[in-house]
Amino acid sequence: MVTGHGKFVLPVFRKVRFLTLAMCEAEVAETCVTRQGIALTVRAVIAFKVGNDTESVVNAGQRFLSDQDQMSVLTGRIFAGHLRSIIGSMTVEEIVTERQKLATEVLETSKTEMAKIGLIVDSLQIQSIDDGETGYIEAMSAPHKAAIQRQAQIAQAQATQASVEAQQEAARNQAEYSRQTAVVQAEYNAEVDRAQAHAAQAGPLAQAHAQQEVLAAQTELAERAARLRQQELVAEVVKPAEAEAERIRLLALAEAERMKIQAEAAASHDRVALDRMLIDQLPQIVKEASAGLANANVNVLNGTDGLGEIAAGLVGQGLTILDSVRRNLGTPDGQDSSTDKKGGSGTANAHSGRVGIE
């Protein structure tokens, strides 16, 4: 026996045969009855090979060297027997839920027998367990199926609810975004409208402000012109009139003083001659009084009647002066009374007329 290397062989004296040491496979499909009396069809796959030690090679060579296919057949039968034995001591629930335990027990129980024929088992895989038409396994799985289906429905409902909530949240977010967009757009439009309105009003407002400034300037200019004109009128009319009135007053005072002196002289001389002289001078007095009006600004308010009243007033003033002189000289009462009447009449006429003198 040579393992793992070559050797010279004499063809006439020796005969050579080869025993494979490669991995082999055997399939088992066996109907077994459980401890509950339920028949199960178990399918399994066994991976085996010839042992590497000399004893195993010798044992396998003695049994299978001439027909090595018998190794798979014999291995399947050995494992089928051990499967029936072990499954008979287990329940369906244990077999279904503890397949690895089943495989381990089968390997342990078959190891001795397999070693006797020079084979070792690398693995045993339980492919399927079928109860045929009894429906026990399916009934056993029904609660689990129902629980799984219930969990699946719950999970589906939760997923649907989460999906709906996500859709609603997305819709709310989209609505909120749309609202914010609409608000921003409205604010932007309002700002644009305000800017356009302000721009539209800017021209008329500027024009109105300009017109207002022009009117203010014109008003100020008119007020300045009025004040200037008032000052010009004061300088041209009021001042000359005041000066002329002052001049007339001074002349009248001088004339009165002169007449007083003449009256005193007449009192000490011939009173009759003095009276005559005063009477003769009366026209001249009136003339001199009227001469003061030559440069005066006279406003006559009642036409020709006003002019007559002015003349009457001047005559009355002359008579008043004459009467005053007579009183100072001691003229008799009869003459004074006549003179007072004339003077009173003249004074009344002078004051009754509506005459303005500047």
Side-chain angles (χ1 to χ4, degrees):
M1 183 182 68
V2 177
T3 303
H5 59 86
K7 191 173 183 179
F8 290 102
V9 177
L10 294 175
V12 177
F13 298 98
R14 294 181 179 176
K15 186 178 180 179
V16 178
R17 292 183 181 180
F18 293 93
L19 179 64
T20 179
L21 300 180
M23 183 67 65
C24 298
E25 181 179 287
E27 293 184 358
V28 177
E30 188 70 18
T31 301
C32 308
V33 179
T34 66
R35 189 175 62 185
Q36 300 161 316
I38 299 173
L40 298 177
T41 301
V42 180
R43 289 181 176 84
V45 176
I46 305 100
F48 67 93
K49 65 183 289 295
V50 177
N52 293 329
D53 59 289
T54 302
E55 183 180 1
S56 296
V57 173
V58 171
N59 291 334
Q62 291 175 353
R63 291 170 176 81
F64 306 112
L65 186 60
S66 60
D67 189 4
Q68 298 184 23
D69 292 337
Q70 288 297 318
M71 288 190 296
S72 297
V73 175
L74 183 59
T75 300
R77 289 177 181 176
I78 293 172
F79 273 88
H82 287 289
L83 278 174
R84 286 194 299 271
S85 175
I86 294 173
I87 288 175
S89 64
M90 299 176 65
T91 63
V92 178
E93 288 80 4
E94 292 175 345
I95 295 169
V96 172
T97 58
E98 299 179 1
R99 289 189 182 188
Q100 187 61 37
K101 178 182 177 180
L102 174 62
T104 302
E105 289 183 0
V106 172
L107 285 174
E108 290 294 331
T109 55
S110 63
K111 184 181 294 184
T112 304
E113 295 182 9
M114 293 294 289
K116 289 180 181 180
I117 59 177
L119 301 178
I120 58 175
V121 179
D122 286 341
S123 67
L124 171 64
Q125 297 294 331
I126 305 297
Q127 290 184 331
S128 65
I129 299 174
D130 187 10
D131 61 352
E133 296 179 356
T134 59
Y136 185 89
I137 296 177
E138 184 177 0
M140 184 180 65
S141 64
H144 300 285
K145 287 183 179 180
I148 292 173
Q149 289 177 355
R150 183 172 61 255
Q151 293 177 357
Q153 292 175 355
I154 293 173
Q156 182 65 35
Q158 292 176 350
T160 303
Q161 182 179 359
S163 176
V164 172
E165 290 177 354
Q167 292 178 357
Q168 292 176 352
E169 182 66 20
R172 284 194 297 270
N173 293 335
Q174 185 176 3
E176 179 65 19
Y177 178 77
S178 300
R179 186 187 67 80
Q180 294 178 358
T181 303
V183 170
V184 172
Q185 185 66 33
E187 292 178 352
Y188 175 77
N189 293 334
E191 185 176 357
V192 170
D193 294 339
R194 286 194 298 269
Q196 291 178 351
H198 181 71
Q201 294 176 356
L205 286 176
Q207 184 177 2
H209 289 162
Q211 291 178 355
Q212 185 177 2
E213 291 178 356
V214 170
L215 291 176
Q218 290 178 351
T219 302
E220 184 178 0
L221 181 61
E223 291 177 354
R224 289 182 180 180
R227 288 195 298 269
L228 180 60
R229 181 57 183 164
Q230 183 178 5
Q231 293 175 359
E232 290 178 353
L233 290 175
V234 170
E236 293 176 357
V237 178
V238 176
K239 294 299 182 181
E242 290 178 353
E244 183 64 23
E246 183 64 20
R247 186 181 67 81
I248 293 173
R249 188 181 65 81
L250 293 176
L251 290 175
L253 290 175
E255 183 65 22
E257 186 65 24
R258 184 181 65 81
M259 293 178 64
K260 180 181 179 181
I261 295 171
Q262 288 179 355
E264 291 177 355
S268 59
H269 294 88
D270 189 3
R271 183 172 303 276
V272 177
L274 181 56
D275 291 339
R276 183 64 180 176
M277 182 183 65
L278 290 174
I279 293 171
D280 292 338
Q281 293 296 325
L282 181 59
Q284 184 64 30
I285 292 172
V286 175
K287 180 179 181 182
E288 292 296 333
S290 63
L293 299 174
N295 296 323
N297 186 9
V298 180
N299 294 325
V300 179
L301 304 179
N302 54 353
T304 56
D305 294 336
L307 293 176
E309 291 176 359
I310 291 173
L314 293 176
V315 174
Q317 291 177 4
L319 293 176
T320 302
I321 294 171
L322 180 59
D323 183 65
S324 178
V325 172
R326 287 180 174 178
R327 288 179 181 274
N328 291 331
L329 295 178
T331 305
D333 294 337
Q335 295 177 354
D336 290 341
S337 61
S338 62
T339 304
D340 288 339
K341 293 179 181 179
K342 294 179 180 179
S345 174
T347 303
N349 291 331
H351 288 288
S352 63
R354 292 184 295 171
V355 182
I357 301 177
E358 295 182 358

